[in-house]
Amino acid sequence: GENVEQHPSTLSVQEGDSAVIKCTYSDSASNYFPWYKQELGKGPQLIIDIRSNVGEKKDQRIAVTLNKTAKHFSLHITETQPEDSAVYFCAASKVATGTASKLTFGTGTRLQVTL
Amino acid sequence: NAGVTQTPKFQVLKTGQSMTLQCAQDMNHNSMYWYRQDPGMGLRLIYYSASEGTTDKGEVPNGYNVSRLNKREFSLRLESAAPSQTSVYFCASRPSGGSEQFFGPGTRLTVL
């Protein structure tokens, strides 16, 4: 089955700096790579995703890059703000019509943005 | 539109007791999922249901059973709780043709 590794497990940055979280996956058939943000006491919420036919996607201060050859993808947050402090999870999935499209999650990165 | 709801929010059980975690979604989604979240291990899939009337095992199904009662509801049952099942449990749903999974707020379960 799929295996997703995520680094680092904790990350502390100063407000305004950039943060980068990296993930690798093992199954070359995976074609969907979402990133979820989990705030304290809440369920994970999708913040950005990328499909295997795209190398990069950006949404305001958040961007994701995908290297299919190396089987790794990264989350980039620029101009970090205190409200970016949370746990971030990467995931990988084989999305196909008519299937349940199970997600395999990384182990999470706790991001702390300090003033 | 409440999204995905889970009950209860917190539960304490003694070893050997049974209980059912409830999950419901009002978004007319086809697929539903149960995950457990443990420190340092991310979210691991317990069971899932691709559509009403079907259920399948995920990565860590031992000690659990599920029921897809109808399109809205997907319950998780612990028949004989063990301390190793102490965890936070999340339910999620996904629309047909979509990729995003929508998560509920979670149930924090402690087994003594």
Side-chain angles (χ1 to χ4, degrees), chain B residues 30-72:
Chain B
N30 279 357
S31 300
M32 298 185 73
Y33 309 80
W34 275 107
Y35 294 89
R36 60 178 288 173
Q37 183 177 28
D38 302 294
M41 300 189 75
L43 291 97
R44 292 181 293 167
L45 184 64
I46 305 171
Y47 269 93
Y48 64 99
S49 170
S51 61
E52 185 179 356
T54 68
T55 61
D56 283 290
K57 295 178 180 179
E59 181 186 352
V60 288
N62 291 348
Y64 305 95
N65 284 300
V66 290
S67 295
R68 184 73 183 268
L69 304 169
N70 47 54
K71 192 170 186 179
R72 289 187 64 248

Short mmCIF file of all heavy atoms in Angstrom, two decimals, chain B residues 30-72:
data_model
loop_
_atom_site.label_atom_id
_atom_site.label_comp_id
_atom_site.label_asym_id
_atom_site.label_seq_id
_atom_site.Cartn_x
_atom_site.Cartn_y
_atom_site.Cartn_z
N ASN B 30 -21.59 10.57 -1.26
CA ASN B 30 -21.67 9.12 -1.41
C ASN B 30 -20.72 8.38 -0.47
O ASN B 30 -21.08 7.40 0.15
CB ASN B 30 -21.35 8.73 -2.86
CG ASN B 30 -22.54 8.89 -3.77
OD1 ASN B 30 -23.62 9.24 -3.33
ND2 ASN B 30 -22.32 8.64 -5.04
N SER B 31 -19.48 8.84 -0.39
CA SER B 31 -18.46 8.10 0.35
C SER B 31 -18.31 8.67 1.76
O SER B 31 -18.36 9.88 1.97
CB SER B 31 -17.10 8.18 -0.36
OG SER B 31 -17.19 7.62 -1.65
N MET B 32 -18.10 7.75 2.71
CA MET B 32 -17.86 8.15 4.10
C MET B 32 -16.73 7.32 4.66
O MET B 32 -16.48 6.19 4.23
CB MET B 32 -19.14 8.00 4.93
CG MET B 32 -20.27 8.90 4.44
SD MET B 32 -21.73 8.87 5.48
CE MET B 32 -21.17 9.83 6.91
N TYR B 33 -16.03 7.89 5.68
CA TYR B 33 -14.79 7.31 6.20
C TYR B 33 -14.72 7.47 7.71
O TYR B 33 -15.22 8.45 8.26
CB TYR B 33 -13.57 8.03 5.60
CG TYR B 33 -13.57 8.14 4.09
CD1 TYR B 33 -14.32 9.13 3.46
CD2 TYR B 33 -12.83 7.27 3.31
CE1 TYR B 33 -14.32 9.24 2.07
CE2 TYR B 33 -12.83 7.38 1.92
CZ TYR B 33 -13.58 8.36 1.31
OH TYR B 33 -13.59 8.47 -0.06
N TRP B 34 -14.05 6.51 8.37
CA TRP B 34 -13.71 6.64 9.76
C TRP B 34 -12.19 6.55 9.90
O TRP B 34 -11.55 5.62 9.37
CB TRP B 34 -14.34 5.53 10.61
CG TRP B 34 -15.73 5.83 11.05
CD1 TRP B 34 -16.89 5.29 10.58
CD2 TRP B 34 -16.12 6.74 12.07
NE1 TRP B 34 -17.96 5.81 11.24
CE2 TRP B 34 -17.53 6.70 12.17
CE3 TRP B 34 -15.42 7.59 12.94
CZ2 TRP B 34 -18.25 7.48 13.08
CZ3 TRP B 34 -16.14 8.36 13.84
CH2 TRP B 34 -17.53 8.30 13.91
N TYR B 35 -11.61 7.54 10.61
CA TYR B 35 -10.18 7.58 10.90
C TYR B 35 -9.97 7.63 12.41
O TYR B 35 -10.81 8.11 13.15
CB TYR B 35 -9.54 8.85 10.32
CG TYR B 35 -9.53 8.95 8.82
CD1 TYR B 35 -10.60 9.54 8.14
CD2 TYR B 35 -8.45 8.50 8.07
CE1 TYR B 35 -10.59 9.67 6.76
CE2 TYR B 35 -8.43 8.63 6.69
CZ TYR B 35 -9.50 9.21 6.05
OH TYR B 35 -9.48 9.33 4.68
N ARG B 36 -8.80 7.19 12.83
CA ARG B 36 -8.35 7.46 14.18
C ARG B 36 -7.06 8.27 14.10
O ARG B 36 -6.25 8.10 13.18
CB ARG B 36 -8.15 6.18 15.00
CG ARG B 36 -7.16 5.19 14.48
CD ARG B 36 -7.03 3.99 15.43
NE ARG B 36 -6.33 4.37 16.67
CZ ARG B 36 -6.21 3.56 17.73
NH1 ARG B 36 -6.72 2.34 17.70
NH2 ARG B 36 -5.58 3.96 18.82
N GLN B 37 -6.90 9.19 15.07
CA GLN B 37 -5.72 10.03 15.11
C GLN B 37 -5.00 9.84 16.43
O GLN B 37 -5.57 10.09 17.51
CB GLN B 37 -6.09 11.51 14.93
CG GLN B 37 -4.87 12.42 14.89
CD GLN B 37 -5.25 13.87 14.64
OE1 GLN B 37 -6.32 14.33 14.98
NE2 GLN B 37 -4.35 14.60 14.00
N ASP B 38 -3.76 9.40 16.35
CA ASP B 38 -2.92 9.20 17.53
C ASP B 38 -1.69 10.07 17.41
O ASP B 38 -1.21 10.34 16.30
CB ASP B 38 -2.52 7.73 17.63
CG ASP B 38 -3.73 6.82 17.70
OD1 ASP B 38 -4.44 6.90 18.71
OD2 ASP B 38 -3.98 6.05 16.75
N PRO B 39 -1.14 10.52 18.54
CA PRO B 39 0.03 11.42 18.51
C PRO B 39 1.17 10.83 17.70
O PRO B 39 1.55 9.67 17.88
CB PRO B 39 0.40 11.53 19.99
CG PRO B 39 -0.87 11.27 20.72
CD PRO B 39 -1.60 10.24 19.91
N GLY B 40 1.70 11.63 16.78
CA GLY B 40 2.85 11.21 15.99
C GLY B 40 2.54 10.21 14.89
O GLY B 40 3.46 9.75 14.21
N MET B 41 1.24 9.87 14.70
CA MET B 41 0.93 8.86 13.69
C MET B 41 -0.04 9.35 12.63
O MET B 41 -0.50 8.57 11.80
CB MET B 41 0.37 7.61 14.38
CG MET B 41 1.33 7.01 15.38
SD MET B 41 0.77 5.42 16.00
CE MET B 41 1.10 4.39 14.58
N GLY B 42 -0.38 10.60 12.65
CA GLY B 42 -1.29 11.10 11.63
C GLY B 42 -2.67 10.50 11.76
O GLY B 42 -3.08 10.06 12.83
N LEU B 43 -3.40 10.47 10.67
CA LEU B 43 -4.74 9.87 10.63
C LEU B 43 -4.65 8.54 9.90
O LEU B 43 -4.10 8.46 8.81
CB LEU B 43 -5.73 10.78 9.91
CG LEU B 43 -6.08 12.08 10.63
CD1 LEU B 43 -5.25 13.23 10.12
CD2 LEU B 43 -7.56 12.40 10.46
N ARG B 44 -5.21 7.52 10.50
CA ARG B 44 -5.20 6.19 9.89
C ARG B 44 -6.63 5.74 9.64
O ARG B 44 -7.50 5.87 10.50
CB ARG B 44 -4.47 5.20 10.80
CG ARG B 44 -2.97 5.47 10.93
CD ARG B 44 -2.30 4.44 11.80
NE ARG B 44 -2.72 4.55 13.19
CZ ARG B 44 -2.48 3.64 14.12
NH1 ARG B 44 -1.81 2.55 13.81
NH2 ARG B 44 -2.89 3.82 15.36
N LEU B 45 -6.85 5.20 8.46
CA LEU B 45 -8.18 4.81 8.03
C LEU B 45 -8.60 3.50 8.70
O LEU B 45 -7.90 2.50 8.63
CB LEU B 45 -8.21 4.65 6.51
CG LEU B 45 -9.54 4.34 5.87
CD1 LEU B 45 -10.54 5.47 6.09
CD2 LEU B 45 -9.35 4.07 4.38
N ILE B 46 -9.78 3.52 9.32
CA ILE B 46 -10.29 2.32 10.00
C ILE B 46 -11.20 1.54 9.05
O ILE B 46 -10.98 0.36 8.77
CB ILE B 46 -11.08 2.71 11.27
CG1 ILE B 46 -10.22 3.57 12.21
CG2 ILE B 46 -11.54 1.45 12.01
CD1 ILE B 46 -11.01 4.16 13.38
N TYR B 47 -12.25 2.19 8.59
CA TYR B 47 -13.20 1.61 7.65
C TYR B 47 -13.69 2.73 6.74
O TYR B 47 -13.62 3.91 7.08
CB TYR B 47 -14.43 1.03 8.38
CG TYR B 47 -14.33 -0.42 8.77
CD1 TYR B 47 -13.87 -0.79 10.03
CD2 TYR B 47 -14.73 -1.42 7.90
CE1 TYR B 47 -13.81 -2.12 10.41
CE2 TYR B 47 -14.68 -2.76 8.27
CZ TYR B 47 -14.20 -3.10 9.52
OH TYR B 47 -14.14 -4.43 9.89
N TYR B 48 -14.21 2.34 5.59
CA TYR B 48 -14.82 3.31 4.70
C TYR B 48 -16.02 2.70 3.99
O TYR B 48 -16.18 1.47 3.96
CB TYR B 48 -13.80 3.86 3.70
CG TYR B 48 -13.25 2.85 2.73
CD1 TYR B 48 -13.74 2.73 1.44
CD2 TYR B 48 -12.18 2.04 3.11
CE1 TYR B 48 -13.22 1.80 0.56
CE2 TYR B 48 -11.65 1.11 2.23
CZ TYR B 48 -12.16 1.00 0.96
OH TYR B 48 -11.65 0.07 0.09
N SER B 49 -16.83 3.59 3.42
CA SER B 49 -18.01 3.16 2.69
C SER B 49 -18.05 3.97 1.38
O SER B 49 -18.23 5.18 1.41
CB SER B 49 -19.27 3.42 3.51
OG SER B 49 -20.43 3.22 2.73
N ALA B 50 -17.84 3.29 0.28
CA ALA B 50 -17.81 3.98 -1.01
C ALA B 50 -19.19 4.50 -1.41
O ALA B 50 -19.32 5.52 -2.09
CB ALA B 50 -17.26 3.06 -2.09
N SER B 51 -20.21 3.81 -0.96
CA SER B 51 -21.58 4.23 -1.27
C SER B 51 -22.51 3.52 -0.30
O SER B 51 -22.11 2.58 0.41
CB SER B 51 -21.94 3.88 -2.71
OG SER B 51 -21.87 2.48 -2.91
N GLU B 52 -23.76 3.96 -0.27
CA GLU B 52 -24.75 3.35 0.62
C GLU B 52 -24.83 1.86 0.34
O GLU B 52 -24.91 1.43 -0.81
CB GLU B 52 -26.10 4.01 0.36
CG GLU B 52 -27.19 3.55 1.30
CD GLU B 52 -28.51 4.25 1.01
OE1 GLU B 52 -28.54 5.14 0.12
OE2 GLU B 52 -29.51 3.90 1.66
N GLY B 53 -24.74 1.07 1.41
CA GLY B 53 -24.85 -0.38 1.27
C GLY B 53 -23.54 -1.11 1.16
O GLY B 53 -23.50 -2.34 1.14
N THR B 54 -22.42 -0.37 1.09
CA THR B 54 -21.11 -1.03 0.99
C THR B 54 -20.18 -0.51 2.08
O THR B 54 -20.22 0.68 2.41
CB THR B 54 -20.44 -0.78 -0.37
OG1 THR B 54 -20.08 0.60 -0.47
CG2 THR B 54 -21.36 -1.13 -1.52
N THR B 55 -19.37 -1.41 2.64
CA THR B 55 -18.33 -1.01 3.58
C THR B 55 -17.09 -1.85 3.32
O THR B 55 -17.20 -3.01 2.87
CB THR B 55 -18.76 -1.21 5.05
OG1 THR B 55 -19.05 -2.59 5.29
CG2 THR B 55 -19.99 -0.36 5.39
N ASP B 56 -15.92 -1.28 3.62
CA ASP B 56 -14.66 -1.99 3.41
C ASP B 56 -13.67 -1.64 4.50
O ASP B 56 -13.74 -0.55 5.08
CB ASP B 56 -14.05 -1.63 2.04
CG ASP B 56 -14.75 -2.33 0.92
OD1 ASP B 56 -14.59 -3.57 0.82
OD2 ASP B 56 -15.45 -1.66 0.16
N LYS B 57 -12.74 -2.56 4.75
CA LYS B 57 -11.73 -2.33 5.77
C LYS B 57 -10.68 -1.36 5.25
O LYS B 57 -10.33 -1.36 4.08
CB LYS B 57 -11.05 -3.65 6.14
CG LYS B 57 -11.98 -4.65 6.81
CD LYS B 57 -11.25 -5.95 7.12
CE LYS B 57 -12.20 -6.94 7.78
NZ LYS B 57 -11.52 -8.23 8.08
N GLY B 58 -10.17 -0.56 6.20
CA GLY B 58 -9.05 0.31 5.91
C GLY B 58 -7.77 -0.27 6.45
O GLY B 58 -7.58 -1.49 6.49
N GLU B 59 -6.91 0.61 6.94
CA GLU B 59 -5.58 0.20 7.40
C GLU B 59 -5.62 -0.48 8.78
O GLU B 59 -4.84 -1.40 9.04
CB GLU B 59 -4.68 1.44 7.46
CG GLU B 59 -3.26 1.21 7.90
CD GLU B 59 -2.49 2.52 8.05
OE1 GLU B 59 -3.02 3.59 7.68
OE2 GLU B 59 -1.36 2.48 8.57
N VAL B 60 -6.50 -0.03 9.67
CA VAL B 60 -6.51 -0.53 11.06
C VAL B 60 -7.93 -0.93 11.50
O VAL B 60 -8.50 -0.33 12.41
CB VAL B 60 -5.92 0.52 12.02
CG1 VAL B 60 -4.42 0.63 11.84
CG2 VAL B 60 -6.58 1.89 11.83
N PRO B 61 -8.53 -1.97 10.91
CA PRO B 61 -9.93 -2.30 11.21
C PRO B 61 -10.16 -3.18 12.44
O PRO B 61 -11.29 -3.28 12.92
CB PRO B 61 -10.34 -3.08 9.96
CG PRO B 61 -9.07 -3.76 9.53
CD PRO B 61 -7.97 -2.79 9.85
N ASN B 62 -9.10 -3.81 12.97
CA ASN B 62 -9.29 -4.78 14.05
C ASN B 62 -9.88 -4.13 15.29
O ASN B 62 -9.40 -3.11 15.77
CB ASN B 62 -7.96 -5.45 14.40
CG ASN B 62 -7.48 -6.37 13.28
OD1 ASN B 62 -8.23 -6.68 12.36
ND2 ASN B 62 -6.23 -6.78 13.36
N GLY B 63 -10.94 -4.77 15.81
CA GLY B 63 -11.59 -4.28 17.02
C GLY B 63 -12.76 -3.34 16.75
O GLY B 63 -13.38 -2.85 17.70
N TYR B 64 -13.05 -3.11 15.47
CA TYR B 64 -14.11 -2.18 15.09
C TYR B 64 -15.07 -2.84 14.11
O TYR B 64 -14.70 -3.74 13.36
CB TYR B 64 -13.54 -0.93 14.41
CG TYR B 64 -12.49 -0.19 15.20
CD1 TYR B 64 -11.14 -0.45 14.99
CD2 TYR B 64 -12.85 0.77 16.13
CE1 TYR B 64 -10.17 0.23 15.70
CE2 TYR B 64 -11.88 1.47 16.84
CZ TYR B 64 -10.54 1.19 16.62
OH TYR B 64 -9.59 1.87 17.34
N ASN B 65 -16.31 -2.34 14.12
CA ASN B 65 -17.28 -2.67 13.09
C ASN B 65 -17.99 -1.40 12.66
O ASN B 65 -18.02 -0.43 13.44
CB ASN B 65 -18.32 -3.68 13.61
CG ASN B 65 -17.75 -5.08 13.68
OD1 ASN B 65 -17.32 -5.64 12.68
ND2 ASN B 65 -17.73 -5.65 14.87
N VAL B 66 -18.53 -1.41 11.47
CA VAL B 66 -19.22 -0.21 10.98
C VAL B 66 -20.57 -0.60 10.39
O VAL B 66 -20.81 -1.74 10.02
CB VAL B 66 -18.40 0.53 9.90
CG1 VAL B 66 -17.17 1.20 10.51
CG2 VAL B 66 -18.03 -0.39 8.76
N SER B 67 -21.42 0.42 10.30
CA SER B 67 -22.72 0.26 9.65
C SER B 67 -23.01 1.51 8.84
O SER B 67 -22.94 2.62 9.38
CB SER B 67 -23.84 0.06 10.68
OG SER B 67 -23.67 -1.14 11.38
N ARG B 68 -23.29 1.31 7.54
CA ARG B 68 -23.75 2.46 6.73
C ARG B 68 -25.28 2.36 6.72
O ARG B 68 -25.89 1.66 5.94
CB ARG B 68 -23.20 2.34 5.31
CG ARG B 68 -23.56 3.54 4.43
CD ARG B 68 -22.80 4.77 4.78
NE ARG B 68 -23.18 5.93 4.02
CZ ARG B 68 -22.59 6.31 2.88
NH1 ARG B 68 -21.58 5.62 2.39
NH2 ARG B 68 -23.01 7.40 2.26
N LEU B 69 -25.87 3.09 7.67
CA LEU B 69 -27.29 2.96 7.94
C LEU B 69 -28.13 3.46 6.77
O LEU B 69 -29.19 2.91 6.46
CB LEU B 69 -27.64 3.73 9.21
CG LEU B 69 -26.80 3.31 10.44
CD1 LEU B 69 -26.99 4.29 11.59
CD2 LEU B 69 -27.18 1.90 10.87
N ASN B 70 -27.69 4.51 6.15
CA ASN B 70 -28.34 5.10 4.98
C ASN B 70 -27.31 6.03 4.35
O ASN B 70 -26.14 6.02 4.76
CB ASN B 70 -29.62 5.85 5.38
CG ASN B 70 -29.39 6.74 6.58
OD1 ASN B 70 -28.46 7.57 6.55
ND2 ASN B 70 -30.17 6.55 7.63
N LYS B 71 -27.70 6.83 3.40
CA LYS B 71 -26.71 7.67 2.73
C LYS B 71 -26.12 8.69 3.69
O LYS B 71 -24.96 9.09 3.57
CB LYS B 71 -27.33 8.38 1.53
CG LYS B 71 -26.31 9.03 0.62
CD LYS B 71 -26.92 9.51 -0.67
CE LYS B 71 -25.83 10.00 -1.60
NZ LYS B 71 -26.38 10.47 -2.90
N ARG B 72 -26.86 9.13 4.68
CA ARG B 72 -26.43 10.19 5.59
C ARG B 72 -25.54 9.68 6.72
O ARG B 72 -24.68 10.41 7.19
CB ARG B 72 -27.65 10.87 6.23
CG ARG B 72 -28.47 11.75 5.32
CD ARG B 72 -29.52 12.48 6.15
NE ARG B 72 -28.92 13.40 7.11
CZ ARG B 72 -28.97 13.24 8.43
NH1 ARG B 72 -29.56 12.18 8.97
NH2 ARG B 72 -28.41 14.13 9.24
#
